Amino acid sequence: MSDLPRKAVTRTAKLAALPLGIAGRATWGLGKRIVGEPAEIVGRELQQRTADQLFKVLGELKGGAMKLGQALSVFESALPEEVAGPYRAALTKLQEAAPPMPTRAVHAVLEERLGAEWQTLFLEFEDKPSAAASIGQVHRGVWHDGREVAVKVQYPGAGEALLSDLSQLSRFARLLGPLVPGLNIKPLITELRDRVSEELDYGLEAQAQQAHAEEFANDPDVMVPAVVHQCEQVLVTEWIDGIPLSEVIADGSQEQRDRAGQLLTRFLFSGPARTGLLHADPHPGNFRLLPGPDGASHKESWRLGVLDFGTVDRLPGGLPAPIGHSLRMALEGDAGSVYELLREEGFVKDSIELDPDAVLDYLLPIIEPAQADEFTFTRGWMRSQAARIGDPRSPAYQLGKRLNLPPSYLLIHRVTLSTIGVLCQLGATVRMRDELEEWLPGFLAAEEPAGGQAERQTEEPAEDPAEEQAEEQAEVPEQEPVKDLVKDPAVERVEEPAVEA
């Protein structure tokens, strides 16, 4: 397949084949058990065959289908090794590539959005994409001022494809649940669908990326490419080289794994504190490991390159302070205080009564990485957590079902869980406590009392998206010149409002 299928019937037919295929394999599994195959072996084979088909279809379709595939791919480390091994390569493909859009379609978008003479804006432009993802693909080029750039072009019909796919996938999310034990897939699909409009808006993405680029300019640990030009369906940013994190996961040295893991953890916690924004798409395809100045390759010189700011969570005060307070009190063994704070924040509903000690016992294995000076994340550790929380027979599963995830914490929870999944894929040894002490509000005992940050998130009235965007543009002066970063007559000409398709 070489293009994004735009007819809903085509995409729906492919996605509809997934539950049918799952049902057929279930019948096959029943037959195997009837003739005497052990149930455990049959279950593993069934899970493996289901996953093979799922990721093949999700990778082919791009759109919301691939978006879900990328989100699921970071949880591969939670699967049993005998199941995860055979299709780990397929998951990695989802993180880095998808079938490309035809050259003629790329040129048509560029001509419509940049003008008939769009090629004069570039000294060089590579028709073959260097990367492809769920709603667009990236081409390498040289801007007319000599800068190497990445040109992100949105697939025609991407919005319709995203909504159609995610609506269709939500109908049989329950069937996909066993693929990742302990993960409820339906809320994940709902959250992805709710953020479609933001991800399609390259103006919002340019603002978020430029804010990070300016904050992390000359940072010794994190590098974010600056925005060069933006208009509807096209985003041009500075190009960065480096080793994709998926390659570090597959073939990197332990030194590279540890450095990548430390920097990923640092960015997770420092980003919101420094920019008021949480990068909310932490799959390996969005990160690069960059050598230091003059190609220096010793461990401490490597930097983390961060791409794709299409999905962010806006956290003006950084991560909510109650996260830090509850984490610190849990590490101190203060079950009563942890329970009361969780109740105040809505993690325990008023109608529910739980044993505070049981809640603490539920949390302690999850927060184990924050207990030691350094912690080695492994697939085995991730699998043990998934089994503990995902096994209906376990007390942890029963207690987890009675907990609640407040909407204001939904995206933070998914990003944190996804980042931990990537750390386990890396097998990285990380000093997480160092990052928590420096960047997480409330983690150190002397900080402000719990509750303030959460009150901001849960009590403020919802704003109209259009008004919110207008206010952001007015309040963040560094974003005003994003559409006029190069004072060239040709650029100014194409910066006029584009005609809608």
Side-chain angles (χ1 to χ4, degrees):
M1 178 166 294
S2 62
D3 196 6
L4 182 70
R6 298 180 66 181
K7 293 183 179 179
V9 66
T10 303
R11 307 182 65 78
T12 299
K14 280 186 171 287
L15 290 170
L18 283 173
L20 292 175
I22 292 170
R25 282 185 295 281
T27 303
W28 167 86
L30 177 61
K32 296 271 282 187
R33 284 194 291 272
I34 288 174
V35 298
E37 291 278 358
E40 184 179 354
I41 294 176
V42 173
R44 285 201 300 267
E45 291 182 12
L46 184 61
Q47 190 180 41
Q48 182 176 321
R49 287 171 179 244
T50 299
D52 285 343
Q53 185 194 8
L54 171 68
F55 291 110
K56 180 177 183 294
V57 171
L58 296 187
E60 285 179 349
L61 285 180
K62 303 181 189 176
M66 187 177 177
K67 196 72 185 169
L68 175 63
Q70 289 175 331
L72 290 178
S73 70
V74 300
F75 299 111
E76 162 266 321
S77 53
L79 297 171
E81 181 60 31
E82 63 272 18
V83 175
Y87 60 83
R88 189 169 290 144
L91 293 175
T92 301
K93 276 186 183 178
L94 279 175
Q95 295 165 352
E96 278 296 322
M101 179 167 44
T103 300
R104 65 181 181 280
V106 175
H107 288 190
V109 172
L110 293 174
E111 182 174 340
E112 181 179 2
R113 299 306 177 189
L114 299 181
E117 299 180 2
W118 66 269
Q119 290 174 316
T120 63
L121 299 174
F122 300 91
L123 299 179
E124 297 176 19
F125 182 87
E126 296 182 7
D127 286 332
K128 182 180 179 180
S130 58
S134 54
I135 67 166
Q137 63 189 36
V138 178
H139 295 257
R140 189 168 186 169
V142 178
W143 196 241
H144 61 81
D145 63 2
R147 283 180 289 176
E148 285 193 88
V149 293
V151 186
K152 188 173 180 179
V153 183
Q154 192 173 119
Y155 302 128
E160 295 89 335
L162 275 168
L163 289 171
S164 174
D165 290 352
L166 293 172
S167 296
Q168 179 76 3
L169 286 164
S170 67
R171 296 190 185 109
F172 55 89
R174 182 178 57 84
L175 296 174
L176 305 179
L179 288 174
V180 186
L183 177 69
N184 191 342
I185 291 180
K186 190 159 188 176
L188 171 61
I189 295 174
T190 300
E191 190 258 313
L192 291 174
R193 187 174 55 205
D194 289 345
R195 292 187 172 269
V196 165
S197 60
E198 285 189 27
E199 184 142 6
L200 292 169
D201 189 333
Y202 280 0
L204 289 176
E205 179 172 351
Q207 288 182 5
Q209 181 159 338
Q210 188 65 13
H212 279 84
E214 294 182 6
E215 173 60 35
F216 286 94
N218 301 316
D219 190 277
D221 300 316
V222 175
M223 191 275 182
V224 178
V227 174
V228 174
H229 174 85
Q230 180 270 318
C231 63
E232 189 172 358
Q233 292 187 303
V234 178
L235 175 61
V236 183
T237 66
E238 292 177 343
W239 178 271
I240 60 171
D241 286 306
I243 306 171
L245 215 57
S246 56
E247 292 184 15
V248 178
I249 289 171
D251 302 308
S253 67
Q254 191 58 52
E255 189 176 62
Q256 290 174 325
R257 294 169 184 274
D258 292 344
R259 179 63 173 169
Q262 189 70 44
L263 295 181
L264 189 61
T265 305
R266 185 166 302 161
F267 182 69
L268 168 66
F269 293 109
S270 69
R274 295 174 63 175
T275 68
L277 299 168
L278 174 68
H279 183 288
D281 195 7
H283 74 81
N286 287 338
F287 300 97
R288 301 285 185 270
L289 195 58
L290 311 175
D294 302 320
S297 59
H298 58 86
K299 180 178 177 180
E300 295 305 316
S301 71
W302 289 87
R303 292 192 297 167
L304 184 73
V306 186
L307 309 172
D308 198 337
F309 291 81
T311 305
V312 297
D313 200 5
R314 288 165 178 79
L315 303 170
L319 289 166
I323 295 177
H325 287 292
S326 59
L327 182 55
R328 170 175 49 81
M329 292 185 295
L331 293 175
E332 294 171 351
D334 189 349
S337 297
V338 171
Y339 182 70
E340 287 306 313
L341 183 54
L342 292 178
R343 183 177 287 282
E344 289 175 15
E345 294 302 306
F347 289 92
V348 180
K349 292 185 176 180
D350 292 339
S351 58
I352 299 292
E353 288 294 336
L354 299 174
D355 178 6
D357 289 322
V359 173
L360 184 61
D361 289 342
Y362 174 87
L363 293 174
L364 283 176
I366 302 172
I367 64 175
E368 183 182 1
Q371 291 178 298
D373 290 337
E374 62 179 26
F375 182 83
T376 300
F377 290 86
T378 65
R379 287 185 165 94
W381 178 80
M382 187 76 165
R383 286 195 293 269
S384 69
Q385 295 303 315
R388 183 177 71 93
I389 297 172
D391 185 350
R393 299 167 296 180
S394 75
Y397 175 87
Q398 298 300 328
L399 189 146
K401 284 180 62 178
R402 304 184 69 191
L403 294 174
N404 177 57
L405 183 61
S408 60
Y409 286 91
L410 178 62
L411 196 55
I412 296 171
H413 174 75
R414 180 170 77 81
V415 171
T416 304
L417 192 60
S418 298
T419 303
I420 290 173
V422 176
L423 294 175
C424 290
Q425 289 178 326
L426 284 165
T429 298
V430 173
R431 300 181 306 280
M432 177 171 280
R433 193 180 184 95
D434 289 354
E435 308 303 337
L436 295 173
E437 290 179 352
E438 183 166 2
W439 302 110
L440 182 60
F443 187 72
L444 295 178
E447 296 187 24
E448 64 183 65
Q453 180 74 11
E455 289 174 11
R456 177 196 60 74
Q457 289 190 341
T458 57
E459 294 181 4
E460 287 182 359
E463 296 185 1
D464 178 81
E467 294 177 359
E468 185 178 1
Q469 180 179 352
E471 290 174 4
E472 287 173 353
Q473 290 174 335
E475 293 172 1
V476 188
E478 66 267 24
Q479 298 310 320
E480 292 177 2
V482 163
K483 287 193 174 186
D484 192 22
L485 294 174
V486 182
K487 296 295 185 180
D488 182 279
V491 177
E492 292 176 351
R493 175 178 54 77
V494 301
E495 298 292 6
E496 296 173 359
V499 178
E500 294 292 336

